[in-house]
């Protein structure tokens, strides 16, 4: 069996994948498996994959076939196939350290960090299948290091410390421990004095992997209306925190201010799906949906907004223009009247547009007083 000691390539790790011991299968029907082992030893992974695909068809209950096929898949760049074949190996032998580690790493590298976590947790609970104690320790240290990369704060620190206890020379774990320490300190940001953008930029340069520093710098850029600088930081955060509604919403705000309404709409929808209580999201969704000419979505967003916040001049004007675009003439005219009744000169351009559209839509003033009747009816 190929006992692959795969190592973390999350963050800035630079270890090399190592192939360890090889066990020959003595069953005469498994000659293809042994030839595959020889092909792997020669670096001919394409030939190995063909032989192992045949072997797993005839011997589907042999976890070694699936595991070795997954290894050959991975070395051939066939990551999705490797993921599936590692899973099949683990169904047959759940305690296989190397399969748990390699599968966890592949999932994390593909961006599915949540799915990766249980496999890496399983790996650190098992023992590598190599005989040499030093190699065993190094392999297990790699697993703890990889687990630390999926954690934060004290959990990450504990994992990196365990990695270094097994392999004191693990530079990746040393760097991870330093990052985790900075992460823990950074949780105190909210309790201390506000940091300037230049200070946050310096911290980010020193700890680019710290999500806490990245988030604070993105917030500072957004508050300063430096949206172009905030965008790549929030894009990174939105990718690594797909379940964080606030991050998705904040990225939508930045995209909206960068005049990218189509993308902003997608992130506002994601944020509101994750947390329907984000009241500010409905108004912003209504704005970008209208910019995207999806006037029905804009109206639905405004209807949802009113469940959380009262109508204001801005929401009434947007309702009026949506109805106008939808060619709902009388409702649009009534809504323009409602808007003008509370506008009070706050937005001259909008008021000018509302007055002129009202003349065009209702030249005979048929809707005059209708907005008041509608309110009384409520």
């Amino acid at each position: 069996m190929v006992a692959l000691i795969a190592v973390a390539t999350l963050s800035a790790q630079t270890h090399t994948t190592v192939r360890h011991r090889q066990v020959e299968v003595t069953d005469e029907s498994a000659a293809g498996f042994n030839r595959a082992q020889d092909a792997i030893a020669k670096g001919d992974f394409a030939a190995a994959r063909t032989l192992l695909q045949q072997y797993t068809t005839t011997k589907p209950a042999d976890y070694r076939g699936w595991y070795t096929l997954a290894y050959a898949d991975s070395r051939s760049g066939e990551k999705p196939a490797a993921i599936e074949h590692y899973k099949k190996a683990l169904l047959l032998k759940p305690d296989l350290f190397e399969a748990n580690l390699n599968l966890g790493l592949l999932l994390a590298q593909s961006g599915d960090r949540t799915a990766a976590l249980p496999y890496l947790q399983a790996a650190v609970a098992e023992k590598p299948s190599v005989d040499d104690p030093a190699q065993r320790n190094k392999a297990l240290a790699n697993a703890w290091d990889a687990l630390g990369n999926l954690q934060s704060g004290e959990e990450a620190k504990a994992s990196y410390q365990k990695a270094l206890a097994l392999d004191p020379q693990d530079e990746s774990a040393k760097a991870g421990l330093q990052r985790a320490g900075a992460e823990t300190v950074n949780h105190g940001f909210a309790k201390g004095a506000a940091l300037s953008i230049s200070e946050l930029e310096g911290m980010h340069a020193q700890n680019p992997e710290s999500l806490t520093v990245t988030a604070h710098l993105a917030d500072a850029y957004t508050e300063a209306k430096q949206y172009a600088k905030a965008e790549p930081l929030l894009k990174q955060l939105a990718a690594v925190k797909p379940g964080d509604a606030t991050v998705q919403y904040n990225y939508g705000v930045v995209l909206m201010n960068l005049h990218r309404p189509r993308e902003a709409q997608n992130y506002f929808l994601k944020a509101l799906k994750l947390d329907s209580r984000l009241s500010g999201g409905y108004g912003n969704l209504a704005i970008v949906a209208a910019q995207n000419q999806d006037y029905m979505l804009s109206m639905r967003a405004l209807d949802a907004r009113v469940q959380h916040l009262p109508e204001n001049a801005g929401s009434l004007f947007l309702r009026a223009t949506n109805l106008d675009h939808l060619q709902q003439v009388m409702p649009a005219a009534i809504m323009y009247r409602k808007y003008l009744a509370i506008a009070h000169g706050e937005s001259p351009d909008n008021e000018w547009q509302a007055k002129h559209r009202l003349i065009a839509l209702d030249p005979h003033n048929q809707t005059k007083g209708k907005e008041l009747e509608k309110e009384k009816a409520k």
Side-chain angles (χ1 to χ4, degrees), residues 51-353:
L51 291 164
L52 289 163
Q53 286 164 352
Q54 295 169 354
Y55 180 75
T56 52
T57 300
T58 58
K59 296 278 188 175
D62 188 346
Y63 77 90
R64 294 168 300 184
W66 293 113
Y67 171 82
T68 311
L69 175 56
Y71 170 66
D73 290 333
S74 181
R75 292 299 301 273
S76 300
E78 301 291 337
K79 306 298 183 184
I83 288 171
E84 291 307 309
H85 294 147
Y86 277 131
K87 287 180 179 179
K88 289 186 177 182
L90 287 168
L91 284 175
L92 297 166
K93 189 171 176 58
D95 62 350
L96 185 57
F97 168 86
E98 290 80 10
N100 278 302
L101 173 58
N102 296 341
L103 178 54
L105 291 172
L106 285 171
L107 288 168
Q109 291 160 6
S110 71
D112 197 346
R113 297 164 70 90
T114 301
L117 188 61
Y119 292 107
L120 292 174
Q121 289 171 329
V124 298
E126 303 298 338
K127 293 181 179 180
S129 58
V130 292
D131 296 325
D132 180 75
Q135 292 286 3
R136 243 192 343 262
N137 286 347
K138 188 174 182 62
L140 196 52
N142 285 331
W144 280 111
D145 184 15
L147 180 59
N149 282 329
L150 298 183
Q151 298 169 325
S152 61
E154 294 299 330
E155 275 190 327
K157 285 175 67 176
S159 293
Y160 290 130
Q161 286 166 346
K162 288 177 181 177
L164 288 168
L166 289 160
D167 182 8
Q169 305 306 314
D170 190 334
E171 295 299 326
S172 178
K174 289 179 185 178
L177 185 59
Q178 185 177 7
R179 288 194 306 273
E183 195 83 39
T184 302
V185 171
N186 292 335
H187 285 304
F189 276 156
K191 299 178 182 178
L195 297 172
S196 68
I197 286 179
S198 61
E199 289 173 318
L200 288 168
E201 286 174 336
M203 294 177 68
H204 185 258
Q206 291 180 348
N207 298 287
E209 302 297 328
S210 170
L211 298 182
T212 303
V213 175
T214 300
H216 278 279
L217 181 55
D219 288 344
Y221 281 145
T222 303
E223 188 174 346
K225 298 185 179 180
Q226 297 182 28
Y227 302 116
K229 290 184 177 180
E231 192 275 335
L233 302 181
L234 282 164
K235 183 177 182 179
Q236 174 194 352
L237 291 168
V240 299
K241 293 187 173 185
D244 191 321
T246 301
V247 168
Q248 306 300 315
Y249 170 74
N250 289 344
Y251 190 32
V253 169
V254 165
L255 291 168
M256 179 173 69
N257 282 285
L258 288 173
H259 308 292
R260 293 159 60 180
R262 185 67 59 187
E263 295 168 87
Q265 178 175 307
N266 291 335
Y267 281 95
F268 287 140
L269 286 170
K270 286 181 185 178
L272 290 167
K273 185 176 181 180
L274 290 166
D275 186 356
S276 61
R277 298 166 298 176
L278 279 173
S279 56
Y282 296 104
N284 286 335
L285 175 59
I287 291 169
V288 296
Q291 290 172 345
N292 294 326
Q293 300 182 2
D294 192 341
Y295 304 113
M296 291 301 297
L297 174 59
S298 183
M299 292 297 283
R300 290 197 299 272
L302 288 170
D303 289 340
R305 178 187 178 279
V306 84
Q307 303 301 315
H308 302 270
L309 298 167
E311 295 274 28
N312 58 24
S315 65
L316 291 175
F317 181 77
L318 186 55
R319 282 186 183 277
T321 55
N322 284 338
L323 291 166
D324 201 346
H325 282 292
L326 291 168
Q327 298 183 348
Q328 296 187 28
V329 176
M330 290 298 106
I334 291 172
M335 200 58 63
Y336 279 127
R337 291 186 184 278
K338 289 185 71 172
Y339 162 69
L340 288 169
I342 66 169
H344 305 308
E346 293 176 3
S347 181
D349 289 344
N350 287 352
E351 289 180 50
W352 183 90
Q353 179 181 337

Side-chain angles (χ1 to χ4, degrees), residues 353-373:
Q353 179 181 337
K355 290 174 182 177
H356 284 75
R357 288 304 299 155
L358 189 54
I359 292 170
L361 295 171
D362 186 17
H364 302 297
N365 289 327
Q366 292 177 315
T367 60
K368 190 172 183 179
K370 296 290 185 181
E371 73 278 12
L372 299 178
E373 291 177 12

